[in-house]
Amino acid sequence: MSAFCKYCCLFVPDGAGVGSQKLGQLVKFSYTNLKKAVEDFKAHELKQYHQDSKEKANNFLQVVNTSSSVHLQLDATYKQEIEKNQQYLIPIIDTVLLCGRQGLALRGKYDFGPVFVGETDEEQINNDGSFWAILHYRAKGDVKLSASLKSTKRNATYLSLQIQNEIINACNTHVLDALVNRVNAAKCFSILADETTDISGIEQFSLCVRYLHANDNSVAI
């Protein structure tokens, strides 16, 4: 008959003995001297590495037995961060969509730097362009958006020209997909094509699709 210390076998680090010596009985080797078992076990319980191993074991069991593990907690935090970023992006995307629907150019002369310059219109001395001006105006009445624009790091504001172009391209893809699905579902359609040259001398190709709505047979272009 022999014995091991379950705590030290699982959680003790290598070289935990005095002078970083390798551990022996009860840890690396089985304990067989049962005549002195009570005395040796009590001495082992006083060892610092045994107490450290026991504490690690208790911490491990607490994590395992709790309903929310470390993995779930990290996952929940990650999901909260995603939701926060999504909520921050919504007004930015809405502003791009508004400019597109109204036929407003997004760009301005000073569309860089912090968008929330001041608390009042008088402090907004530069013409930031439609995108930045609308976002600035919206931030004055949106506490969360205002706080996000003020606290977000400069390299994570999602307000750059590149991000604006990505949002526009994503909208373009979404609109084209919706139109293609409508045309494919229509009973009949026709295509009109024309080519012309713009003011810079570059040829532009225009494509117009005329189709019947699948629901009410009304004509759409």
Side-chain angles (χ1 to χ4, degrees), residues 31-101:
Y31 182 87
T32 56
N33 189 7
L34 300 182
K35 293 182 179 180
K36 298 178 60 179
V38 176
E39 180 181 349
D40 291 339
F41 289 171
K42 289 182 178 181
H44 178 76
E45 289 180 349
L46 298 177
K47 300 292 185 181
Q48 184 62 45
Y49 64 81
H50 171 80
Q51 297 177 12
D52 294 340
S53 299
K54 189 174 181 180
E55 182 179 359
K56 292 178 182 179
N58 292 332
N59 293 336
F60 174 78
L61 291 176
Q62 288 180 1
V63 172
V64 171
N65 294 330
T66 53
S67 58
S68 179
S69 64
V70 173
H71 172 71
L72 293 177
Q73 292 176 11
L74 292 176
D75 188 55
T77 303
Y78 180 66
K79 289 182 178 179
Q80 291 177 358
E81 189 67 22
I82 292 177
E83 292 177 357
K84 179 181 177 181
N85 292 335
Q86 289 175 341
Q87 293 298 319
Y88 172 68
L89 277 173
I90 288 176
I92 297 175
I93 297 174
D94 286 343
T95 303
V96 174
L97 293 176
L98 176 61
C99 292
R101 284 194 299 267

Side-chain angles (χ1 to χ4, degrees), residues 114-180:
V115 65
F116 202 88
V117 177
E119 297 292 340
T120 62
D121 293 334
E122 288 75 12
E123 297 179 29
Q124 197 78 4
I125 59 176
N126 296 323
N127 185 359
D128 293 339
S130 299
F131 172 77
W132 285 59
I134 294 173
L135 198 62
H136 168 80
Y137 181 78
R138 179 169 181 169
K140 291 195 298 182
D142 190 331
V143 177
K144 291 184 179 180
L145 176 60
S146 176
S148 298
L149 291 173
K150 290 179 180 179
S151 60
T152 303
K153 296 181 180 179
R154 292 287 297 275
N155 62 346
T157 59
Y158 298 103
L159 301 176
S160 66
L161 304 183
Q162 292 78 9
I163 296 298
Q164 294 177 33
N165 289 337
E166 289 183 13
I167 295 174
I168 294 172
N169 291 332
C171 294
N172 174 67
T173 301
H174 178 75
V175 171
L176 285 179
D177 289 343
L179 288 176
V180 170

